[in-house]
Amino acid sequence: MSVPVSVSVPEHAHAHHCPITGHGTHAYCPPQKGDSRSPCPALNALANHGYLPRDGKCVTPAALTHALRAGYRLSAPLAWVLTRGGFFLLGQRRAHICLADLARHNCIEHDASLVHPDVAHRDEYAPLHPAPHMLDAFLAHAADGALMTPADVARARVAREASYARPMDALHAEIARGEMAIVLLLFNNPPPAPSPAPAPPPRSLLAALKRTKDAEPAPLPLPGVPVEMLRTWMHEERLPNGWAPYHQLSLTRVVQTSRAIRAAMRALQRRRAKLEVAREIAQADALEIVTAAQAELGLLEEREREREEEEEGEVVELEVGASPPESLVPPDSPTTSDASVELRTPTAPEFPPAPADRKSRTAEWLSDIDVPRIVVADGADL
């Protein structure tokens, strides 16, 4: 019986088997303290389900080949190539490895992983577990949000590799495409066919053959992997519930799918290059237009400045104190040459005498006002 992911199990030690799930079963149990795991979710899932040693240690080539064939139903040639190629790239001279050995940088593990961050500076081993934000970004490339197709994987790989100044080397680029080709061919199980209605047994052999011929064909595999199934496998490193391999995966199919991903990537890269060239041309054209407009504006400003200078030169400035032209002066009018301005101070008699004081001024002012006479009832005047 598998241990649910949401349920915490008591801490226990793993060796080749798990004391919780029992011997000889392939139920899921999460890794325990001291277990060895790799950056590869496929091998980690095999260890978590008991196809490989539960502790991820002392993995021999024979054990790895058997686990790949039993857990994922890979063909013998494909399992052999993956096993022997992996041991060769790791440079292991021993007869066994630990899963953590696969984290050694630039052997099998490589930069530009879709769900793992790159190895830190001066570190020899890469991170083992996927980064949640990178996993979300990768799954977001699914065009319909439901299935991850080869075209979606190609877009994700192009976007990931575009952030690097130098392209990946040919070997690790092929590894990156091949591992995703295997994933796409493993989990694209056909949808379950509806249960046929019960039919009476055939009356004859001919009727049985006819019924077999008229039977509906088996449903085709999905064009991609369900996104949630992929999330479960990559994040929790366990086989999805109810999943089982529906066909034997051959080396030829993997190579064909890897080539399809490579072709889609090259088409996308050519398109990105064309868009980049078009963007540069548009920017150059825009810069040329702006430069020409600035030059035209400068020319217009220069012409306006020259016109203003010409207009200022044509203005006649009258000198202060200059005589007007003789044609504008009447014959009998005196000129400034024979006319003089006489300034004199008026004498005292020309000014009215000032009143002596305020009382006399008030009396004088009242005398000039015609005040009506008002008679009250008793005959007194006001």
Side-chain angles (χ1 to χ4, degrees):
M1 180 178 65
S2 296
V3 177
V5 178
S6 58
V7 176
S8 60
V9 297
E11 185 175 344
H12 57 280
H14 279 162
H16 198 286
H17 306 289
C18 174
I20 301 297
T21 59
H23 176 73
T25 67
H26 296 298
Y28 170 79
C29 183
Q32 299 299 305
K33 183 178 180 180
D35 289 352
S36 180
R37 291 296 183 264
S38 73
C40 177
L43 299 185
N44 292 345
L46 290 178
N48 292 337
H49 283 273
Y51 291 98
L52 286 173
R54 293 276 184 172
D55 60 359
K57 301 175 181 178
C58 297
V59 179
T60 63
L64 182 55
T65 302
H66 174 75
L68 291 173
R69 299 199 65 190
Y72 295 123
R73 201 179 171 187
L74 304 187
S75 66
L78 178 57
W80 187 90
V81 168
L82 294 177
T83 299
R84 294 300 176 178
F87 270 75
F88 174 78
L89 291 176
L90 289 175
Q92 297 292 101
R93 298 294 185 265
R94 298 175 297 173
H96 59 269
I97 61 172
C98 293
L99 292 184
D101 292 337
L102 276 75
R104 191 177 300 123
H105 183 54
N106 262 352
C107 292
I108 299 175
E109 186 275 338
H110 53 83
D111 286 337
S113 170
L114 292 175
V115 296
H116 290 85
D118 292 343
V119 64
H121 181 58
R122 296 175 60 84
D123 283 355
E124 183 181 359
Y125 291 88
L128 300 179
H129 303 291
H133 70 281
M134 296 183 67
L135 178 59
D136 292 339
F138 166 57
L139 297 180
H141 281 89
D144 61 354
L147 293 179
M148 179 67 66
T149 65
D152 300 331
V153 172
R155 281 197 302 273
R157 285 238 53 92
V158 169
R160 184 74 170 96
E161 296 178 17
S163 60
Y164 291 83
R166 294 187 301 175
M168 296 178 63
D169 60 273
L171 173 62
H172 290 98
E174 188 62 38
I175 292 175
R177 292 190 297 266
E179 60 192 13
M180 287 309 305
I182 293 175
V183 173
L184 292 174
L185 295 172
L186 277 179
F187 298 107
N188 64 335
N189 294 46
S195 301
R203 296 181 179 180
S204 63
L205 179 60
L206 182 61
L209 293 176
K210 183 178 180 181
R211 180 178 298 178
T212 304
K213 182 179 179 181
D214 296 340
E216 295 184 1
L220 297 176
L222 295 175
V225 178
V227 169
E228 292 307 316
M229 181 180 293
L230 197 57
R231 184 189 301 275
T232 298
W233 182 73
M234 285 187 164
H235 179 63
E236 301 176 9
E237 296 180 336
R238 66 178 178 89
L239 301 178
N241 293 330
W243 175 86
Y246 71 98
H247 71 308
Q248 179 172 278
L249 183 54
S250 66
L251 177 61
T252 304
R253 291 286 306 279
V254 173
V255 172
Q256 291 174 349
T257 306
S258 177
R259 288 178 177 175
I261 295 175
R262 181 179 61 183
M265 289 180 61
R266 288 180 175 177
L268 290 172
Q269 289 168 344
R270 287 194 297 267
R271 182 181 178 185
R272 288 172 67 99
K274 291 180 180 179
L275 291 176
E276 187 65 26
V277 171
R279 187 181 298 109
E280 292 178 357
I281 293 175
Q283 291 176 352
D285 292 344
L287 180 60
E288 183 178 355
I289 293 173
V290 171
T291 304
Q294 291 177 347
E296 184 69 19
L297 181 61
L299 182 60
L300 293 176
E301 292 178 352
E302 182 66 22
R303 291 177 179 175
E304 182 68 20
R305 188 162 47 251
E306 292 177 356
R307 185 167 59 252
E308 291 178 356
E309 292 177 356
E310 291 177 358
E311 291 177 355
E312 290 178 358
E314 294 176 356
V315 174
V316 178
E317 297 181 356
L318 297 178
E319 297 181 359
V320 179
S323 300
E326 296 181 357
S327 60
L328 300 179
V329 179
D332 55 349
S333 62
T335 61
T336 56
S337 58
D338 56 359
S340 61
V341 178
E342 181 181 359
L343 298 178
R344 64 187 184 87
T345 303
T347 58
E350 295 182 5
F351 293 96
D357 53 9
R358 180 180 299 177
K359 185 176 181 180
S360 60
R361 289 198 304 271
T362 304
E364 183 180 357
W365 177 73
L366 291 176
S367 64
D368 295 336
I369 299 176
D370 186 11
V371 181
R373 296 174 62 85
I374 302 175
V375 180
V376 295
D378 56 359
D381 294 338
L382 292 179

